Amino acid sequence: MATPSRKTATPGPLASKRPLPRDPSSEVPSKRRSSASPAPPPPRPLQSSGPFVEGSIVRIAMENFLTYDICEVSPGPHLNMIIGANGTGKSSIVCAICLGLAGKPAFMGRADKVGFFVKRGCSKGMVEIELFKISGNLVITREIDVAKNQSFWFINKKSTTQKIVEEQVAALNIQVGNLCQFLPQDKVGEFAKLSKIELLEATEKSIGPPEMHRYHCELKNFREKEKQLETSCKEKTEYLEKMIQRNERYKQDVERFYERKRHLDLIEMLEAKRPWVEYENVRQEYEEVKLARDRVKEEVRKLKEGQIPMTHRIEEIEKQRHNLEARIKEKATDIKETSQKCKQKQDVVERKDKHIEELQQALAVKQNEEHDRQRRISNTRKMIEDLQNELKNTENCENLQPQIDAITSDLRQIQDEKALCEGEIIDMRREKETLEKEKKNVEEHIVRFDNLMNQKEDKLRQRYRDTYDAVLWLRNNRDKFKQRVCEPIMLTINMKDNKNAKYVENHISSNDLRAFVFESQEDMEVFLKEVRDNKKLRVNAVMAPEHSCADKAPSVSLNELKQYGFFSYLRELFDAPNPVMSYLCYQYHIHEVPVGTERTRERIERVIQETQLKQFYTAEEKYVVKTSFYSNKHITVNTSLKVAQFLTVTVDLEQRRHLEEQLKEINRKLQAVESGLIALREKNKHLEHRDNELRQKKKELLERKTKKRQLEQKISSKLGSLKLMEQDTCNLEEEERKASTKIKEINVQKAKLVTELTNLIKICTSLHIQKVNLILQNTTVISEKNKLESDYMAASSQLRLTEQHFIELDENRQRLLQKCKELMKRARQVCNLGAEQTVPQEYQTQVPTIPNGHNSSPPMAFQDLPNTLDEIDALLTEERSRASCFTGLNPTVVEEYTKREEEIEQLTEELKIKKVELDKYRESISQVKERWLNPLKELVEKINEKFSNFFSSMQCAGEVDLHTENEEDYDKYGIRIRVKFRSSTQLHELTPHHQSGGERSVSTMLYLMALQELNRCPFRVVDEINQGMDPINERRVFEMVVNTACKENTSQYFFITPKLLQNLPYSEKMTVLFVYNGPHMLEPNRWNLKAFQRRRRRITFTQPSQ
């Protein structure tokens, strides 16, 4: 029985009305986390008269094994049916049986290392199997260490080795590696793939007597030895016949051999002396080359010593050059900084000059106004004076004074209006000049903004030319769109601080950065049709959300995140049009992604655990936090930020828009001022015309009036005008004084700035001079270095040539030395002398000295032979010619003849021994074959009888027979299974390809059932073999399993399946184990099936009758 854990569902009865197993406590296990808890006591050791057979499993315990924390299973003695949904842990029990009984991990087909069977997250696991034995149950414990991938074994709680466990398991005839006994889920398909030979071997091991498989192995070994002996005897007989025939042919050649040997002995003596003569010639040449090499070696040493001072001087000059180049770089940096300061001072001076110019212009305007007033006053006084002079000479006339006074009054009024109009014209001219200055400043600002915008567009054009061409097309065709269309996001985004551009560029994909943003789907289709389809431009376009997300509030306030070092959300780092901002909030959640500092990086663990943020940025990294679907653990991925490329140029589009509006307002004002000036000029012209008319009329009246009165009237009018003009006075001297004072102050500041600028220019000039001097020094140093390097290269070239000559001489010396050694070695070999062996005194002559210091000498017999190479070669040629007359002979003819005679005698004796041994093997094969083959045929006949009966009960046909092609090839014997499932077909051999998956499963199951009653193994395991069967076959097979496995005196049977058909027959001897899995299982210490049953009965009894 297994102890359920907290996260598994409560076990319940079978779904339909079926007879329950006798053992109500046999409901299974659960998985997941559990702790050791009181479980029902393990079954008492059974006696031999009990239902368990020797080696049956009475208890299976698992801890931290695959899906189980702690689980204990108590199977029954007959059929054990383990039921549960897929993934609940049924096959884990099969794995526990296999590994607990010293099975190999690879046999399960799941993993090749035992450590992989320990539950994930645990360092150790345990499997314990209790086997029934009459003398006392056997408890095998296997503890698995994940880190070392090792197992520790215990038998009855005492430490032991795996080999002892395997011996104990084998003694009980348990074979977890035999598919006829142990068929795990991942090996079901392999049973049908077993060859006939493999199936015979598995069947012998599973149900045959212990000696049957041993006899089979002996027969195979005896047959192999027999084949080897037959082959050996045949080969030796053939070889012996060939040897006898060959010796007969060589017998005639032996006589000619001795005559030829005399000539060959002389040739051998000549060839032995020739290396000594050749050696002496080479040794003399070696001594000459060695002397020449030593002379050249001394010359090389002198040349190398001569190069050392030159090398040191080049290194000193190189250090000096590096120092000068560093100083030149420093001077260049200082010059750059000083030039920048000069530029700044020069800009300030220019601004001062501009200020002075503005003051002078303002003063000139006032001076012109004052001069104009003085001119008019002077003209008026002159006119008054002229009129007064004329009045003296004028006589009185009739009284037309009222008319003249009225005209005079009109003229005065017109004069006042003209003066007022002229004043307004002057004011408007001033306003116009002011507006034109403002317009010029605004246009300059706009040009600067356009230059920055052009930089962004240039980057777009260089990187994405198609997108840039689409921007130009959009600017020329905006009238084709109904709603707003935004240019690519990279052009419309304006960073508030370009240092933050890297966060935005790393967050938004490059495809979206160059995408156009539309508010209307129709507009986007028009745009894409024109740009993509017609112009074949590769551009991207996106739709802004229907409901704006630009102002959507973040889920966490920034104030709450400041404690972790966050200073802003991505959305607050830049400005963008509302459609663009809405799209980025919707697509990239920029209002939810905060940006932090190094402080955030230092507190990264707290940020991940406490804030629940999905994405955020530190100073130099991007973090993405995900939650595992299985373990609910945080998975964090951090990547380094890439350098910003496109958004580093900041253009304040709002300010530019404001400047454009300001420029429009200025142009409107200028237009209004210009219109006002035109109107005032017209008005002034009209007043002038009116004035001329009144004057003409007044002139006519004055002609009628006395000239005197006319003149008096004119004088009076002019005096009034003069009085008005004199009242409108301006203190020009005060204005000039103020302007002069301001100009002086500015000139003082300017003079100070010019002095500072002059000093900076002097410093810059001095730095340039210093830099030029350093460059000249560096040029001199480089020139000196080049000269030294040239001299060094020339010396090196000479040194290389000398060294090459030395190497050639040394190689020649080595070659000659090696040749001397080879000749000495060859000479010693010819004389059969070792490297340190000396020649006997009676054969020695004058001893020459060889280069390696050893002394040696040729034998005395050499003195009778020629002493020059030419004489030796001539004699050698003569003797070889004589020896060549004896063709078809070689030095080993006699030796081979004698050796072959000995071999013939030896082979004859060996052949007799082999034939005797072969007869013994044949006798042994005959005896073992009789003891193996007859029981095997009887066993196969029994299997065939049961197998055929099973198939007949299913209205199908099946046969099992012993198959072999050659009766003597015992390694080719096999069991052949032939089946047919339809009456219209013939019997076909069971193969992985001919039958369907369900037919193979049925055949496999029935074959195992046929073995069940004959089986001598204590238990059998079959895992999910019914998965490929149709319902009819599954029901038939299930009935056969129940009937066969629940008979008396049958071995224990484990049948694992995820599902069963309804209304299947069950037996009282069955044990049904349910595997439950779910999140609401009780703790192990609270699992008490008897208490659950009592509670259920109590609830049933207390319910009111309906």
Side-chain angles (χ1 to χ4, degrees):
M1 169 179 174
T3 306
S5 67
R6 181 189 313 156
K7 296 184 181 178
T8 57
T10 306
L14 288 172
S16 60
K17 296 181 180 179
R18 309 171 189 146
L20 291 174
R22 287 186 306 170
D23 185 3
S25 65
S26 301
E27 298 205 356
V28 172
S30 61
K31 317 191 301 180
R32 316 286 170 109
R33 200 167 153 226
S34 64
S35 57
S37 61
R44 296 186 299 276
L46 300 175
Q47 302 302 319
S48 59
S49 58
F52 285 99
V53 299
E54 188 88 357
S56 296
I57 299 174
V58 298
R59 183 172 61 88
I60 306 167
M62 296 165 283
E63 182 176 343
N64 296 331
F65 185 79
L66 289 177
T67 55
Y68 294 102
D69 284 332
I70 295 177
C71 179
E72 188 172 288
V73 181
S74 298
H78 298 291
L79 175 59
N80 292 274
M81 190 162 59
I82 302 176
I83 305 174
N86 289 328
T88 53
K90 305 183 301 301
S91 296
S92 299
I93 300 174
V94 178
C95 295
I97 295 173
C98 179
L99 297 181
L101 297 176
K104 304 297 182 184
F107 178 71
M108 303 303 300
R110 290 193 172 195
D112 56 351
K113 294 184 180 179
V114 72
F116 291 153
F117 288 86
V118 177
K119 185 175 182 180
R120 182 175 296 177
C122 299
S123 60
K124 290 185 178 180
M126 185 273 291
V127 175
E128 188 171 273
I129 307 293
E130 184 175 349
L131 301 175
F132 175 77
K133 287 185 71 176
I134 298 175
S135 59
N137 287 0
L138 181 69
V139 180
I140 300 174
T141 306
R142 182 175 190 170
E143 293 183 357
I144 303 169
D145 190 321
V146 176
K148 298 179 181 179
N149 194 40
Q150 290 182 349
S151 297
F152 302 95
W153 296 89
F154 301 87
I155 294 180
N156 294 331
K157 305 302 180 182
K158 294 181 181 179
S159 179
T160 186
T161 63
Q162 183 175 350
K163 184 177 180 181
I164 295 175
V165 173
E166 290 173 348
E167 291 173 354
Q168 292 276 7
V169 171
L172 294 172
N173 199 31
I174 297 173
Q175 305 167 21
V176 293
N178 189 340
L179 294 181
C180 289
Q181 180 178 345
F182 197 91
L183 192 60
Q185 177 181 354
D186 296 321
K187 295 287 184 176
V188 171
E190 292 187 13
F191 186 88
K193 297 179 182 178
L194 289 177
S195 66
K196 295 185 285 291
I197 299 170
E198 292 171 338
L199 183 58
L200 173 60
E201 183 178 351
T203 303
E204 286 178 340
K205 292 179 180 178
S206 179
I207 65 171
E211 66 276 3
M212 178 176 286
H213 183 257
R214 179 167 55 83
Y215 286 157
H216 191 184
C217 293
E218 288 179 2
L219 275 175
K220 289 190 282 188
N221 293 334
F222 287 160
R223 176 57 181 161
E224 187 64 28
K225 290 286 186 180
E226 182 185 12
K227 289 181 179 179
Q228 292 176 1
L229 288 171
E230 287 175 349
T231 303
S232 178
C233 289
K234 182 179 179 181
E235 290 175 352
K236 287 183 182 296
T237 302
E238 293 175 354
Y239 184 63
L240 181 60
E241 293 175 356
K242 291 180 181 179
M243 292 282 285
I244 294 172
Q245 294 174 4
R246 192 178 300 171
N247 239 19
E248 288 297 327
R249 287 199 308 269
Y250 288 157
K251 193 172 183 180
Q252 300 173 359
D253 297 335
V254 173
E255 297 174 356
R256 300 177 59 204
F257 172 77
Y258 290 104
E259 185 178 357
R260 181 172 178 270
K261 188 174 183 300
R262 288 192 298 272
H263 298 288
L264 293 177
D265 288 343
L266 180 58
I267 291 171
E268 184 178 354
M269 291 293 291
L270 290 169
E271 289 177 344
K273 182 172 183 178
R274 192 179 190 284
W276 293 98
V277 177
E278 190 176 359
Y279 159 76
E280 182 61 26
N281 294 339
V282 174
R283 186 188 66 79
Q284 293 175 1
E285 185 181 356
Y286 165 81
E287 293 296 338
E288 295 174 0
V289 173
K290 182 179 178 184
L291 291 174
R293 187 205 67 154
D294 292 341
R295 288 195 299 272
V296 175
K297 183 177 181 181
E298 181 64 20
E299 186 178 351
V300 169
R301 184 186 64 77
K302 291 179 180 179
L303 287 173
K304 286 184 177 178
E305 289 178 355
Q307 278 188 327
I308 292 174
M310 199 179 302
T311 304
H312 291 166
R313 178 57 182 162
I314 290 173
E315 291 175 352
E316 292 174 1
I317 290 175
E318 182 65 17
K319 291 179 181 178
Q320 186 178 358
R321 184 180 69 80
H322 283 304
N323 186 24
L324 287 172
E325 288 180 352
R327 291 174 62 191
I328 289 170
K329 289 181 179 178
E330 291 176 0
K331 294 300 178 184
T333 304
D334 295 340
I335 290 170
K336 185 177 179 181
E337 293 176 353
T338 308
S339 299
Q340 290 177 350
K341 291 180 181 178
C342 289
K343 182 68 170 60
Q344 293 172 358
K345 295 294 181 183
Q346 189 173 359
D347 293 341
V348 175
V349 170
E350 290 177 357
R351 287 198 295 272
K352 295 296 181 183
D353 289 338
K354 191 173 182 181
H355 192 189
I356 291 173
E357 183 180 352
E358 290 175 353
L359 290 173
Q360 289 175 345
Q361 288 178 354
L363 180 61
V365 170
K366 292 182 179 180
Q367 288 175 342
N368 291 335
E369 291 176 353
E370 182 62 22
H371 290 160
D372 186 58
R373 190 179 68 85
Q374 292 294 334
R375 180 181 56 77
R376 286 189 283 111
I377 290 173
S378 176
N379 291 338
T380 304
R381 285 177 177 171
K382 185 176 180 181
M383 289 175 65
I384 292 172
E385 185 179 352
D386 292 341
L387 291 172
Q388 288 176 348
N389 292 331
E390 188 177 356
L391 182 61
K392 292 178 182 180
N393 300 321
T394 304
E395 297 180 354
N396 293 328
C397 64
E398 56 180 314
N399 188 14
L400 297 174
Q401 190 60 39
Q403 296 180 21
I404 294 173
D405 290 341
I407 292 173
T408 301
S409 176
D410 292 340
L411 284 170
R412 189 180 297 113
Q413 184 177 357
I414 289 172
Q415 289 293 335
D416 293 341
E417 290 180 3
K418 283 181 64 178
L420 182 62
C421 184
E422 290 175 355
E424 290 179 358
I425 289 173
I426 292 171
D427 292 339
M428 284 193 174
R429 285 176 179 169
R430 292 178 186 170
E431 184 179 358
K432 182 179 179 181
E433 291 174 357
T434 304
L435 289 173
E436 286 176 346
K437 291 179 182 178
E438 291 180 2
K439 179 180 178 181
K440 184 178 180 182
N441 290 334
V442 170
E443 287 175 342
E444 290 176 354
H445 278 82
I446 291 175
V447 168
R448 285 197 291 271
F449 277 115
D450 289 342
N451 290 337
L452 292 175
M453 194 64 185
N454 289 337
Q455 292 180 20
K456 295 180 74 173
E457 292 179 1
D458 285 342
K459 289 185 177 181
L460 177 65
R461 177 175 54 80
Q462 293 170 6
R463 187 70 180 272
Y464 307 110
R465 183 56 188 253
D466 287 0
T467 305
Y468 176 77
D469 293 341
V471 170
L472 298 181
W473 181 87
L474 175 64
R475 291 175 179 173
N476 296 326
N477 296 274
R478 287 193 179 273
D479 55 335
K480 294 184 178 181
F481 303 102
K482 297 178 181 180
Q483 296 188 29
R484 184 175 182 182
V485 179
C486 296
E487 293 183 358
I489 294 176
M490 64 187 296
L491 296 181
T492 56
I493 283 181
N494 186 52
M495 299 302 302
K496 296 179 181 178
D497 186 347
N498 55 13
K499 290 188 294 186
N500 298 325
K502 58 184 179 180
Y503 303 117
V504 179
E505 285 197 25
N506 278 272
H507 194 74
I508 303 172
S509 69
S510 60
N511 286 337
D512 277 356
L513 277 176
R514 57 191 179 96
F516 294 81
V517 182
F518 293 83
E519 291 184 326
S520 167
Q521 182 70 29
E522 183 181 352
D523 287 347
M524 186 168 73
E525 292 175 357
V526 171
F527 175 81
L528 293 177
K529 181 178 181 181
E530 181 65 32
V531 174
R532 280 189 184 172
D533 299 343
N534 297 341
K535 294 186 174 296
K536 307 300 181 183
L537 299 178
R538 293 177 293 177
V539 297
N540 295 336
V542 296
M543 275 289 298
E546 184 178 354
H547 301 288
S548 177
C549 302
D551 299 325
K552 192 174 182 180
S555 57
V556 182
S557 171
L558 185 62
N559 293 329
E560 298 178 18
L561 299 177
K562 285 184 177 178
Q563 59 177 318
Y564 304 106
F566 292 107
F567 64 89
S568 174
Y569 281 101
L570 276 179
R571 181 176 62 185
E572 277 66 45
L573 297 180
F574 62 90
D575 295 322
N578 188 70
V580 175
M581 189 68 77
S582 176
Y583 172 75
L584 294 179
C585 289
Y586 174 78
Q587 184 68 24
Y588 291 95
H589 306 286
I590 57 174
H591 62 293
E592 295 282 2
V593 180
V595 181
T597 59
E598 284 298 329
R599 181 181 172 193
T600 310
R601 179 68 183 86
E602 295 169 0
R603 304 183 178 187
I604 193 65
E605 293 297 331
R606 285 186 56 200
V607 172
I608 294 171
Q609 297 296 329
E610 298 176 7
T611 61
Q612 303 299 319
L613 292 172
K614 301 300 182 185
Q615 293 186 70
F616 58 88
Y617 289 85
T618 61
E620 297 297 335
E621 291 179 322
K622 176 183 179 180
Y623 284 80
V624 178
V625 182
K626 300 179 180 178
T627 303
S628 173
F629 180 77
Y630 299 98
S631 61
N632 288 330
K633 293 182 180 179
H634 293 300
I635 301 172
T636 306
V637 179
N638 64 311
T639 54
S640 299
L641 298 181
K642 298 178 182 177
V643 179
Q645 298 179 358
F646 300 109
L647 304 181
T648 52
V649 178
T650 301
V651 180
D652 193 341
L653 297 178
E654 189 62 32
Q655 186 177 355
R656 188 185 186 284
R657 199 176 300 112
H658 176 70
L659 289 173
E660 288 179 348
E661 292 175 356
Q662 188 177 351
L663 182 62
K664 290 179 181 178
E665 182 64 22
I666 291 172
N667 288 330
R668 187 187 62 77
K669 289 181 179 179
L670 279 172
Q671 189 175 359
V673 169
E674 190 65 32
S675 300
L677 281 172
I678 293 172
L680 287 172
R681 289 192 185 101
E682 289 294 327
K683 184 179 179 182
N684 193 32
K685 184 177 179 181
H686 176 72
L687 290 173
E688 189 71 31
H689 179 69
R690 177 64 178 162
D691 183 72
N692 291 335
E693 288 180 350
L694 290 174
R695 288 181 186 279
Q696 183 64 31
K697 190 174 181 181
K698 186 177 179 180
K699 183 178 179 182
E700 292 175 356
L701 290 173
L702 288 174
E703 289 177 354
R704 292 170 58 190
K705 190 181 175 184
T706 61
K707 192 174 183 179
K708 181 178 180 180
R709 293 180 67 85
Q710 292 176 356
L711 292 174
E712 288 176 352
Q713 187 66 33
K714 287 182 181 180
I715 290 170
S716 175
S717 175
K718 293 298 181 183
L719 287 173
S721 299
L722 180 61
K723 185 177 180 181
L724 289 173
M725 287 187 288
E726 287 177 346
Q727 289 176 353
D728 188 16
T729 184
C730 174
N731 192 347
L732 191 59
E733 293 179 356
E734 181 66 20
E735 294 295 331
E736 290 176 351
R737 185 185 63 77
K738 289 180 180 180
S740 177
T741 302
K742 290 182 179 179
I743 291 171
K744 286 179 181 179
E745 291 175 356
I746 294 172
N747 282 331
V748 169
Q749 297 174 4
K750 181 180 174 183
K752 184 178 179 182
L753 289 171
V754 170
T755 303
E756 293 175 356
L757 178 61
T758 304
N759 292 334
L760 287 173
I761 292 171
K762 290 179 180 179
I763 293 171
C764 189
T765 305
S766 174
L767 290 172
H768 274 292
I769 293 171
Q770 294 175 15
K771 180 181 176 183
V772 170
N773 291 334
L774 289 172
I775 292 172
L776 291 174
Q777 294 178 26
N778 189 36
T779 305
T780 304
V781 169
I782 291 172
S783 177
E784 183 179 356
K785 180 190 173 188
N786 291 338
K787 184 177 181 303
L788 284 171
E789 287 178 345
S790 177
D791 295 341
Y792 181 82
M793 291 298 291
S796 298
S797 177
Q798 184 180 357
L799 177 61
R800 281 195 300 273
L801 293 174
T802 309
E803 286 178 339
Q804 184 65 29
H805 188 203
F806 170 77
I807 291 170
E808 291 173 356
L809 289 172
D810 191 60
E811 289 176 352
N812 194 17
R813 183 190 68 83
Q814 292 287 348
R815 181 181 59 78
L816 291 172
L817 177 60
Q818 185 64 29
K819 190 173 181 181
C820 284
K821 291 180 179 179
E822 291 174 356
L823 292 171
M824 173 61 72
K825 183 178 179 181
R826 179 182 170 193
R828 286 180 170 274
Q829 287 176 349
V830 171
C831 295
N832 295 322
L833 296 175
E836 302 296 333
Q837 186 178 359
T838 58
V839 179
Q841 185 66 33
E842 58 271 18
Y843 294 106
Q844 290 183 359
T845 181
Q846 183 179 0
V847 180
T849 302
I850 60 176
N852 58 6
H854 297 292
N855 296 327
S856 183
S857 63
M860 183 68 80
F862 288 171
Q863 294 178 359
D864 298 333
L865 299 175
N867 293 320
T868 64
L869 290 176
D870 293 339
E871 293 174 349
I872 290 174
D873 290 339
L875 187 55
L876 271 173
T877 302
E878 182 182 350
E879 290 300 321
R880 283 172 180 162
S881 298
R882 292 176 180 176
S884 63
C885 294
F886 298 92
T887 58
L889 299 177
N890 57 64
T892 60
V893 171
V894 177
E895 182 181 352
E896 287 181 357
Y897 180 82
T898 306
K899 184 178 179 182
R900 200 173 290 113
E901 285 291 333
E902 294 174 356
E903 286 182 5
I904 289 170
E905 183 178 354
Q906 184 179 356
L907 278 173
T908 304
E909 187 64 29
E910 288 179 0
L911 188 58
K912 292 179 181 179
I913 295 172
K914 290 287 184 182
K915 288 181 178 179
V916 172
E917 186 178 359
L918 178 60
D919 293 337
K920 289 181 180 179
Y921 269 108
R922 285 173 176 169
E923 184 178 357
S924 299
I925 288 172
S926 176
Q927 294 173 358
V928 175
K929 179 180 178 181
E930 184 177 355
R931 291 196 294 268
W932 169 75
L933 188 57
N934 293 335
L936 177 61
K937 289 181 178 179
E938 294 176 2
L939 182 63
V940 172
E941 185 60 34
K942 292 178 182 179
I943 296 172
N944 178 50
E945 180 182 355
K946 295 184 178 294
F947 186 76
S948 299
N949 292 337
F950 286 145
F951 261 88
S952 297
S953 65
M954 296 176 60
Q955 287 78 46
C956 300
E959 289 183 1
V960 176
D961 60 1
L962 188 64
H963 179 266
T964 182
E965 295 178 358
N966 185 354
E967 188 176 351
E968 301 300 326
D969 291 337
Y970 303 106
D971 54 344
K972 298 294 194 302
Y973 274 78
I975 287 182
R976 180 174 61 180
I977 301 175
R978 296 192 299 163
V979 296
K980 72 170 184 175
F981 289 86
R982 286 165 291 278
S983 59
S984 60
T985 60
Q986 299 295 323
L987 286 170
H988 288 284
E989 186 176 346
L990 181 65
T991 64
H993 313 292
H994 190 275
Q995 288 79 17
S996 66
E999 291 173 348
R1000 290 198 302 272
S1001 297
V1002 170
S1003 303
T1004 301
M1005 196 68 183
L1006 295 184
Y1007 184 80
L1008 296 179
M1009 286 295 97
L1011 302 182
Q1012 179 69 13
E1013 294 183 5
L1014 304 174
N1015 197 2
R1016 61 184 183 85
C1017 62
F1019 65 86
R1020 176 174 283 106
V1021 177
V1022 178
D1023 189 0
E1024 296 193 17
I1025 197 171
N1026 61 331
Q1027 291 306 295
M1029 300 182 190
D1030 59 77
I1032 297 174
N1033 287 333
E1034 184 177 355
R1035 183 176 299 276
R1036 291 172 178 173
V1037 169
F1038 184 81
E1039 292 175 358
M1040 295 178 190
V1041 170
V1042 173
N1043 295 332
T1044 304
C1046 293
K1047 291 181 180 180
E1048 293 295 337
N1049 300 322
T1050 58
S1051 59
Q1052 195 177 30
Y1053 201 98
F1054 290 88
F1055 184 79
I1056 293 89
T1057 179
K1059 50 86 178 179
L1060 287 174
L1061 300 175
Q1062 295 183 355
N1063 301 319
L1064 292 173
Y1066 295 89
S1067 171
E1068 290 294 328
K1069 295 182 180 181
M1070 287 175 58
T1071 300
V1072 181
L1073 303 173
F1074 292 94
V1075 182
Y1076 287 94
N1077 178 10
H1080 303 296
M1081 290 301 291
L1082 295 175
E1083 292 287 347
N1085 55 5
R1086 296 173 59 191
W1087 182 266
N1088 190 330
L1089 189 59
K1090 293 182 179 180
F1092 298 159
Q1093 292 172 339
R1094 287 196 300 271
R1095 188 182 309 161
R1096 178 62 182 171
R1097 288 194 294 269
R1098 188 165 56 251
I1099 293 172
T1100 304
F1101 294 154
T1102 56
Q1103 285 179 348
S1105 58
Q1106 299 297 329

